[in-house]
Amino acid sequence: LDVRVKGGERIIGAQFNFENQAVLWSEKGNIYKLNFAQNRYWKVGKPGLVSCANYQMTPPTNLLVGLHTGRAILIDTDSGAIRSRFVENCDILGVGGSSDGALVFTHCRDHVTVWDSVTRKARLRLALQLEASLEFVRILTGPPTIPTSQHRVTGGPTIPTSVHRVITACRDGKIAVWGLPPLANKKSVDKFELLSEGNIGSECEGFCIVEEDLYAATKIEVFKVDLATGMKEKVVDIKDRERICNIDVKTIENRTVIVLHLETRSLFLRNGEVVEQVFCWGAGCFTRDGFLMGKTKPEGSVEFYRVDGAWNKDAVKIKKVAAKTKPKADVKSTNTVRIERIDKSTAAIIKERVKTAVPIIDDE
């Protein structure tokens, strides 16, 4: 299923929320929502030129958008209403929030600001050196029990930590976990507490968090980092030398699959072996249940694939594709991919053939 905006306006980003609905945003700042279960779409609004966005918010109808004006806004995608505004007055590279909806963050070139979602005021700012090149920020909710530094060595009892943790990862491979005191604790002083840190040791091209592990992709390897201890473990050797657009990691039915979205294709790897590949240019994203994959193509459209069968497949032999070589139009995957009309993206489908005509979004 290929989706594009009428009139040639380029789509520059797409993401799914936790309810398997999607938003798309264009180069002119138009934002659209797609509801696959209801087989419809609508225009959310045009708040300004979008630099980044995050649709994995609480509640799931909320979309957090970073604008070129140095402001971030929280939009209700059902009504189009702007719920909150956060002002940075500098380029915003990334946005996101905690799963409980209590905190929002704005990621800029040399700092991260954590905002209180209720008061809409900046709670804390973590400054980094410019040369650090901050690439990735996330907020985790719920404190694991992490041993103190001396107990890590002696194996002694653990102590409770902060309710929220801010994860930062830089392009040079340096990773840190910062704790925040509970919001309700009036006696505590608001400050970041360094809980753990790690170092990949080489330049990284993509990051992804799954529960308490951070996955980091370099040009030749993928590492898994334990956020509690900072210890790293190599999990994949990357044999292809294409540029990595982004990395995803999904655990479906106790099977963990690493997906590398490369320049010309997406590689699905389990235990270091390729189990599926989909030929399509650009960055990728998945529904929470792994039913659909969306790919934002360089020419300005988004293509959706049904990939629910990819997670439990055996390894396949693949033909080597030269880097930066566009694959043939009729070659989509090494395995059969069915295209069928979706009734519920998390449940059954209606077994009818999809019309091959390309859907056009009218920007009016």
Side-chain angles (χ1 to χ4, degrees):
L1 177 65
D2 191 85
V3 179
R4 61 189 68 215
V5 178
K6 184 179 180 180
E9 184 178 339
R10 293 176 59 250
I11 298 171
I12 59 174
Q15 193 177 38
F16 292 101
N17 69 358
F18 295 135
E19 294 182 341
N20 294 351
Q21 299 170 356
V23 291
L24 318 174
W25 54 96
S26 73
E27 60 186 348
K28 294 183 179 179
N30 288 303
I31 300 174
Y32 304 94
K33 180 172 181 177
L34 282 68
N35 188 318
F36 294 96
Q38 298 177 6
N39 196 26
R40 69 188 188 100
Y41 75 89
W42 60 92
K43 182 175 178 178
V44 174
K46 188 179 180 181
L49 297 182
V50 178
S51 59
C52 55
N54 193 318
Y55 199 24
Q56 298 186 347
M57 305 292 294
T58 301
T61 56
N62 281 352
L63 172 69
L64 187 59
V65 178
L67 302 175
H68 283 205
T69 57
R71 289 162 169 75
I73 58 174
L74 193 65
I75 305 175
D76 186 322
T77 54
D78 284 344
S79 65
I82 296 177
R83 300 300 185 190
S84 303
R85 290 180 173 86
F86 310 94
V87 181
E88 277 284 6
N89 289 324
C90 62
D91 292 338
I92 298 177
L93 306 180
V95 291
S98 58
S99 60
D100 59 1
L103 299 175
V104 164
F105 74 80
T106 47
H107 159 203
C108 300
R109 184 184 176 191
D110 61 349
H111 70 270
V112 179
T113 304
V114 177
W115 307 79
D116 187 308
S117 298
V118 177
T119 65
R120 305 170 190 173
K121 293 182 179 179
R123 187 178 171 200
L124 279 176
R125 176 169 289 179
L126 177 66
L128 292 90
Q129 297 179 348
L130 282 175
E131 57 269 22
S133 186
L134 183 62
E135 291 285 322
F136 179 87
V137 180
R138 288 294 182 273
I139 296 180
L140 297 184
T141 305
T145 357
I146 303 176
T148 59
S149 56
Q150 64 266 31
H151 288 156
R152 287 178 189 148
V153 177
T154 63
T158 57
I159 59 172
T161 61
S162 308
V163 172
H164 295 98
R165 288 162 292 150
V166 179
I167 316 302
T168 59
C170 298
R171 189 168 182 83
D172 62 4
K174 293 179 181 178
I175 299 162
V177 181
W178 308 88
L180 286 171
L183 287 168
N185 190 353
K186 296 181 180 179
K187 294 183 180 180
S188 64
V189 178
D190 263 0
K191 64 178 181 179
F192 286 105
E193 175 191 4
L194 180 61
L195 301 178
S196 65
E197 56 186 338
N199 194 343
I200 299 299
S202 57
E203 189 173 278
C204 295
E205 298 194 349
F207 299 93
C208 179
I209 282 184
V210 178
E211 296 179 349
E212 294 297 322
D213 294 315
L214 173 71
Y215 290 79
T218 70
K219 292 182 179 180
I220 59 174
E221 297 164 318
V222 177
F223 291 91
K224 181 173 72 171
V225 180
D226 186 327
L227 293 174
T229 64
M231 300 297 292
K232 68 178 181 179
E233 172 192 357
K234 185 174 73 171
V235 291
V236 169
D237 283 312
I238 303 175
K239 299 177 182 179
D240 298 86
R241 292 297 180 263
E242 295 183 54
R243 182 179 65 86
I244 298 175
C245 298
N246 66 306
I247 177 176
D248 271 304
V249 181
K250 302 289 291 184
T251 300
I252 307 292
E253 297 178 354
N254 296 322
R255 296 181 178 93
T256 298
V257 178
I258 297 171
V259 183
L260 298 176
H261 301 287
L262 307 176
E263 283 184 300
T264 63
R265 55 183 169 161
S266 292
L267 286 180
F268 294 65
L269 302 109
R270 189 172 70 246
N271 299 325
E273 300 291 334
V274 176
V275 297
E276 172 70 295
Q277 63 176 341
V278 176
F279 285 97
C280 186
W281 294 52
C285 60
F286 290 94
T287 53
R288 191 174 193 178
D289 58 3
F291 188 85
L292 291 177
M293 177 179 71
K295 295 277 288 185
T296 306
K297 299 162 71 174
E299 63 264 30
S301 66
V302 177
E303 194 158 3
F304 293 97
Y305 297 85
R306 179 180 171 182
V307 293
D308 57 318
W311 310 110
N312 57 3
K313 286 185 176 179
D314 296 327
V316 296
K317 293 182 179 180
I318 61 173
K319 294 181 179 179
K320 192 154 186 154
V321 178
K324 299 185 180 180
T325 300
K326 192 171 182 178
K328 295 180 180 180
D330 59 344
V331 178
K332 292 295 182 182
S333 172
T334 56
N335 294 287
T336 303
V337 178
R338 292 177 297 167
I339 302 178
E340 299 168 317
R341 183 165 66 86
I342 301 166
D343 181 34
K344 293 182 179 179
S345 58
T346 57
I349 58 169
I350 296 176
K351 296 183 178 179
E352 297 177 0
R353 300 295 296 178
V354 171
K355 294 181 180 179
T356 57
V358 175
I360 301 295
I361 292 178
D362 193 340
D363 61 355
E364 293 300 326

